[in-house]
Amino acid sequence: MRPEVQAFVADGPLPDEDAEEEEIDRRVDQLGAIARPVTAEEARALTDCFGPDDCYGVAWTLLHLIETGPNPVLRVRPAADANEWRHRLWRRAVNGGLVADGASG
């Protein structure tokens, strides 16, 4: 895994919209430092970095970065209590015909 991805993953989930502007900007800069496309390993690791909300659109940037990797990133439906962003990745893979909707896990 490339150092830029390791650094982003090591900092954990994205902050929520109540975070300090500097923290959000730092995470945006970290995302911007990751060259596209990501590897399958990197994409899987990045799926754990979604926070509780869209973090002023930063979560969408993360989702689009993940989708530059080999798809589908998720091969089984996320658990019911999984983060909404994991569910969004799953729905996008289903809608794109990459996985069958009936898969579960």
Side-chain angles (χ1 to χ4, degrees):
M1 191 177 316
R2 293 174 290 168
E4 309 82 50
V5 178
Q6 287 177 334
F8 188 86
V9 171
D11 280 353
L14 290 171
D16 64 26
E17 291 181 346
D18 293 332
E20 294 292 323
E21 184 176 344
E22 294 79 22
E23 174 63 10
I24 295 171
D25 289 345
R26 186 179 70 77
R27 298 307 300 271
V28 167
D29 291 343
Q30 284 180 314
L31 273 178
I34 300 172
R36 284 112 175 107
V38 296
T39 67
E41 175 189 21
E42 291 169 342
R44 283 190 301 274
L46 289 166
T47 63
D48 292 331
C49 294
F50 289 108
D53 58 33
D54 78 348
C55 190
Y56 296 104
V58 181
W60 282 105
T61 302
L62 176 58
L63 181 136
H64 293 302
L65 174 64
I66 290 167
E67 289 181 332
T68 67
N71 276 299
V73 173
L74 303 178
R75 298 193 182 274
V76 296
R77 179 189 311 235
D81 62 348
N83 183 289
E84 74 174 275
W85 292 95
R86 291 181 72 85
H87 287 284
R88 188 166 280 133
L89 275 169
W90 175 256
R91 284 192 308 273
R92 290 166 66 94
V94 168
N95 292 343
L98 301 172
V99 293
D101 192 23
S104 62

